[in-house]
Amino acid sequence: MTHVRFCEFLSKRSAPFVIVLGANEIASAVAARLTREGYRVVLSHDPYPPVIRRGMSFHDALFQDRAEVDGIQGYRGETALEIVRVLTVTGVVAVTSLQLTDLLALRTPDVLIDARMQKNRMTTNLRKIANLAIGLGPHFAAGLNCDVAIETHPDHAGDLVETGETRPNDHLPRYLGGVGRGRFVYSARDGVWRTPLDVGARIFKDYLLGLLDGHRVLSPMDGFLRGIARDGVVVPQNVKLVEVDPRGRASTWTGTDEYGRAIADAAYRVIAKAAHARHWTRPVTVSYH
């Protein structure tokens, strides 16, 4: 059956293969949408910045924990065999710590999407690595380092940029429950993060959330943990470590939100248009047991 799986994955009748860089909530929203449409998607985790909205992402599949986003399951794959085994099952996403260069040896991707959301870092040129390269967020310029870019600015989320650059990062977090930057805790230093808490936990102002490099980290307000970096990760200075949802009973910390779905829908439209123009193989659904 393993030989059959490899042959099917490599064959011309296989569904388009998509590599998404990142395992955060935006990368996961894109992966969930494309998987639902029949594409084969693998997420390549990048440790910078650390993923905090883990209930809204496939990130925890890397640790063999249950990872589900909008009904789509994520499973870890750390070898070519494991990834192919995951991708030949209908309706699942492969999640790996393997990097792009490793995945390119598996099969040339039809689509490459950079969803790492590295707002303070420059990106490399993604063009010509795949048939279609899509960049999400700041630092992308269509025709320069990607084929098509998609805005992630809260006021323009999902807007397509087919010429020119995306908007720069304005360092202003979206408002949630009337609170912007104040609902986040940023890392004050580099260090190992230790916490007994998980997303969804009820917490209160000044509640001890954990220790970063041995230093206490306290909650900025009452609410529920919408995001918190996983225990044991190495955290760089000045990145989001914790997010508190102040909305009380209206708080959510699982599945996609409107913001993520807008970006995911835009990515699907770009890919569907390219697939029609280039006559890619239609997605197929094959399930092995």
Side-chain angles (χ1 to χ4, degrees), residues 48-50 52 181 184-193 211-213 215-217 229 233-242:
Y48 183 92
I52 63 170
R181 186 181 180 89
F184 292 99
V185 176
Y186 292 79
S187 55
R189 56 184 54 80
D190 299 343
V192 176
W193 168 242
L211 300 176
L212 178 60
D213 192 32
H215 296 265
R216 291 158 55 92
V217 176
V233 301
V234 177
V235 176
Q237 185 177 10
N238 198 34
V239 297
K240 291 175 182 176
L241 185 64
V242 175

Side-chain angles (χ1 to χ4, degrees), residues 94 157 221:
M221 62 179 61

Side-chain angles (χ1 to χ4, degrees), residues 14 36 42 44 48 61 69 84 114 145 163 173 178 185 200 205 222 265 268 288:
S14 175
R36 190 174 298 109
V42 58
S44 173
Y48 183 92
V69 177
V84 170
D114 192 334
N145 55 14
T163 58
V185 176
K205 181 176 174 59
D222 297 351
D265 288 346
Y268 172 67
Y288 294 99

